[in-house]
Each structure stands twice: as C-alpha cells, then as structure tokens.
Amino acid sequence: MQFCTSGYVNAFGVYQDFYTRTYLSSSSASTISWIGSTNNLLVYGGALVLGRLYDKGYFAHMLISGSILFVLCLFMISISQQNQWYQIFLAQGIGLGIAQGLLYLPSLAIVGQHFKTKRTMVMGIVASGAAVGGIIHPIMLNQLFNGKVGFHNGVRISAGMNGVLLVIANIIALQKGAGSNVQKADSSSQVPGKKWYQFFGEPTYCTAVIGNFLFFMGGYFPLFYLQLSGITHGVDPTLVFYSISIMNAANLPGRLLPNHFASRLGIHNQMIVAAAICGILDITFLAMHNAAGVIVIAIIFGFFSGTYISLLSPMLAGLSPNENEMGARMGTCFALGGFATFIGPPINGALLGTSNYKWIRPSIWSGACVLAGVAFMLVARSYKIRDIKRRSDTDIQAVEKKTRYPGKLFERHSFFSGP
C-alpha cells in the first residue's frame, strides 16, 4: 500500500516534467503543479476524516474502496486528451488523491496499533515501501512516456501493475480480520478519545504539527522540480530521467537506518537534524547547474527527507496517550501537512515563472519555510522533555506514598538522582 500511495506521489516529478514540456504545454508549471499538490492534499489532508473512520473500524472498507478507485483513476488518466488540464486534474489530482488517502493512513496506523515493541523500526520498514515505489515508478514511467509505448499506454501498464499489487495487499492485510480487533474492542473499557481540535491544547502536539506543516510547505520543492531543473539547465536527459529514482533510492536507507537508532538518538533529535539539512539543500538548489549537482542533491535530500518522513508517524504515535486517538492524531497532522503540500508547489511554480525560470526565488522560499519548521520542532522537543520529567516525578511520588519510608526509597539508588 505504501508502494502504491506515497511511492506514486514521489514519482509526480516525472508527470510534472512531462506535462510541462509536452502533454500540457499550454499550461504553466504553476498551473500543472496544482495537479500534484491537490493529490497531496487529499492523500494527507483527507486523513482528518479518514483517521476517524479508521478508529471506528472501517479498515476493510477503506482498503477495498481505495484500491478500486486507484486503478479506475489511472485508467481515466490514460484516456485523457492532450492539453485538457481539467481532465488530468479530476482524474489524477482529485480521484487518485482520494484513493491514495484511503490506503495511506490505515497502512501505517494498523502497524502502530499492533506492534508494541520496536514499533518505530517496524513502521520504518512499512514506510520503506514508499521509497521502493519512488525508485521503480519514475524509471518505469520515464521509459514508457518517452519511449515507443507512449503516455496513454504507459499509464495503463502502470495501472495494471499497481492493481495486481493492491490485490495482494488486500489479501494479506484483510486475512483473519486484521485491522478490526483493535477498533472493535469493548467500548466500555476504552477511554473516550478527544476531538481533533482539542489536540491543539497540548503544546507538544501543537508545536510539532506546526513544524511539520512548515516542513511540508517547502520540503516537496526538490521532489516536484528536480527533473525539470536538470532538463532546463542542459543536463543529459538520460541522467535526469533517473534523478528522482536516485533520490528515492537514497530515501530507502533514510527510512530504515534512523528508525533502528531511534531509541539511542531520539526520534525528535533525528527529525530536527534531517529537516535542517533538507532546508539547507532547498536553498542550495539554486546552485545546481550540472550532472554532479543533480546527483548530490538527489542523494542527500533523498536520504534525509526519508529520515524525516519515516520518523513522523512514530513521533505522532508517541504523542498519543490514548491508543483510540492514534488515527485521529495522525490524521490531523497529515491533513495540515497535506494542505501545506497543496499550496507549496504552486507557490514555487509561481515564483519560478513561466519562461525565464528564476530558480533563486522558489529555492529561498522553500528553504526558509523548512528552517522555520525546524524552529518549531525544537520547541516541541523542549515541551516533550518537560512532559517526560513531569511524568517521571509523578511516578516517583506515587511510589513514595506506597513505601513505609517516604523520601528514602530513591536516595539509595543513583539511577533516580538524574533528570
């Protein structure tokens, strides 16, 4: 499911380049980017509603309907007409976005609920499917669109491959009622979940979500425009067509290695470092004028953006004191992040221009957004440390009340003398 949802989103740079130069050449880069940004909005933004549906036990309904709609929309793209922007927008921007949204969040939330130990590592393994998809989809689509097969038949082949994978995914995920046992537990024993707007009364969650919003605002700039930038700067098209796949190949270890070290280095710490490096690369994007620049940015940005994305879901799971809120908390954050990706790429396209591309403007804007997000992530980290200390003090006081020698129990153990 990650391969077909987030993995396909990571391949939109191929569509952006092909639409801008060939298929929708009568439309500007900014107008075309609304297709991909709307798709992102519905994949992540739809989670605000879909998270609640998941919490109420509609896991199977979401998987089956999302899979059918996914394949249907790809076939609708394959029968679209050249320079008919609205046809692509409806099929790819809206229809495909809804389908991917129905699949994306459940595939992460179900793992977060079923794995109690090594949850971060397991969620990283699941999220790596997006990186694998980001490697295979761009190579496949570029070869099909720019070869003898052509655009329409190329999309049909893509639809067939993804359809087979989704059938397999549904069979595996739905066997033995997976996904229903947690949500359909006895409601009398469950703690009622908060409403989504009540989450923002928690400083840790609020600042973390704002930081993520700003990251998503500028973090998708290289993913959308790397291939177009390489082409317009005269880099060998053969290499440029593999640039997004190179980025996603680097994305794969970025999704796996940091999750393995999360318990030692900390989720927040790694996310802050990764986001800061992505922000700096957004700014240095304007200095990319040759093949070496394309490869360097693709590899470094791919690795650290993968680090950030793979740790986002475990971070949100860690901010969910009530498991019944996990889907809603993820959904709320993804929804705001989806809105950021909805407006971010079109802003970059408008700043870039329509003829004489001015790369400095979207580069500076995107980098500033991401680095501002880093500042909020630092604040969220400080709130998280404060919350941990408060819980630790509360636990110690509770134990002291139960012992016969209050205040003496922990003085004999240096473990409790630190923060």
Side-chain angles (χ1 to χ4, degrees):
M1 286 185 278
Q2 287 289 306
F3 180 96
C4 297
T5 56
S6 186
Y8 212 81
V9 170
N10 290 342
F12 183 76
V14 176
Y15 283 99
Q16 176 77 31
D17 173 53
F18 185 79
Y19 289 160
T20 302
R21 294 187 298 109
T22 305
Y23 197 67
L24 300 177
S25 56
S26 61
S27 302
S28 67
S30 178
T31 302
I32 292 170
S33 67
W34 281 107
I35 299 169
S37 63
T38 302
N39 180 277
N40 279 339
L41 172 65
L42 294 172
V43 172
Y44 304 113
L48 184 63
V49 176
L50 299 176
R52 286 296 184 186
L53 290 177
Y54 172 84
D55 288 337
K56 291 182 180 297
Y58 291 98
F59 179 76
H61 303 77
M62 296 170 73
L63 259 60
I64 296 172
S65 60
S67 300
I68 294 173
L69 183 60
F70 184 98
V71 177
L72 176 62
C73 288
L74 283 182
F75 276 111
M76 294 303 295
I77 296 172
S78 72
I79 61 174
S80 64
Q81 298 174 322
Q82 189 168 357
N83 284 321
Q84 297 298 312
W85 177 87
Y86 78 94
Q87 295 179 358
I88 300 293
F89 178 77
L90 291 174
Q92 188 169 6
I94 296 179
L96 195 62
I98 294 173
Q100 291 169 319
L102 286 165
L103 299 169
Y104 176 74
L105 184 139
S107 64
L108 291 172
I110 193 66
V111 175
Q113 284 187 309
H114 279 268
F115 288 88
K116 306 303 179 184
T117 59
K118 297 186 178 180
R119 173 190 287 168
T120 303
M121 186 62 188
V122 175
M123 294 182 80
I125 293 172
V126 173
S128 68
V132 176
I135 297 170
I136 295 176
H137 290 308
I139 295 175
M140 179 178 177
L141 294 174
N142 269 314
Q143 293 295 328
L144 293 172
F145 294 174
N146 298 285
K148 297 180 180 179
V149 175
F151 175 72
H152 293 113
N153 287 327
V155 176
R156 293 185 187 109
I157 293 173
S158 177
M161 182 190 73
N162 284 279
V164 171
L165 293 174
L166 288 174
V167 169
I168 298 173
N170 275 265
I171 293 173
I172 295 173
L174 297 177
Q175 65 177 341
K176 297 181 181 179
S180 61
N181 57 328
V182 175
Q183 290 84 359
K184 294 183 179 180
D186 183 9
S187 60
S188 62
S189 62
Q190 296 180 352
V191 179
K194 294 181 180 179
K195 301 295 184 181
W196 67 270
Y197 53 83
Q198 294 176 315
F199 301 150
F200 292 96
E202 305 169 13
T204 307
Y205 181 85
C206 183
T207 51
V209 169
I210 294 174
N212 182 69
F213 176 89
L214 291 169
F215 177 87
F216 273 43
M217 176 80 78
Y220 273 74
F221 173 57
L223 188 63
F224 270 57
Y225 291 99
L226 179 64
Q227 183 166 317
L228 178 62
S229 176
I231 292 292
T232 57
H233 283 106
V235 180
D236 183 2
T238 303
L239 172 64
V240 174
F241 288 158
Y242 287 94
S243 61
I244 296 177
S245 294
I246 293 172
M247 180 185 293
N248 287 297
N251 197 272
L252 180 57
R255 289 175 182 260
L256 293 175
L257 294 178
N259 293 65
H260 179 69
F261 296 103
S263 60
R264 300 179 186 178
L265 303 178
I267 294 177
H268 286 269
N269 296 337
Q270 292 187 89
M271 290 182 70
I272 289 169
V273 172
I277 293 174
C278 289
I280 294 171
L281 287 175
D282 273 353
I283 296 174
T284 58
F285 194 88
L286 57 92
M288 183 187 66
H289 298 295
N290 51 40
V294 171
I295 294 174
V296 169
I297 289 180
I299 292 175
I300 300 177
F301 187 88
F303 180 86
F304 286 103
S305 63
T307 297
Y308 181 90
I309 296 298
S310 68
L311 292 173
L312 177 59
S313 294
M315 184 270 290
L316 293 172
L319 297 180
S320 302
N322 183 356
E323 282 197 355
N324 298 322
E325 298 173 354
M326 191 176 295
R329 284 179 183 269
M330 286 185 180
T332 302
C333 182
F334 290 161
L336 292 173
F339 182 73
T341 61
F342 175 66
I343 61 178
I347 291 175
N348 289 327
L351 293 172
L352 182 62
T354 56
S355 55
N356 296 323
Y357 297 136
K358 296 179 174 60
W359 292 99
I360 187 172
R361 297 188 297 193
S363 296
I364 297 296
W365 161 256
S366 299
C369 287
V370 174
L371 293 177
V374 171
F376 277 94
M377 293 174 204
L378 287 168
V379 175
R381 178 183 178 275
S382 66
Y383 278 127
K384 180 68 174 178
I385 293 174
R386 184 198 64 179
D387 294 342
I388 292 174
K389 288 183 177 180
R390 284 181 176 178
R391 285 198 299 269
S392 178
D393 292 341
T394 301
D395 292 342
I396 291 174
Q397 291 172 6
V399 173
E400 286 181 342
K401 288 181 180 180
K402 295 180 180 180
T403 184
R404 295 175 60 186
Y405 305 100
K408 300 294 184 180
L409 177 62
F410 301 105
E411 292 179 3
R412 295 192 296 270
H413 301 278
S414 60
F415 174 82
F416 294 99
S417 61

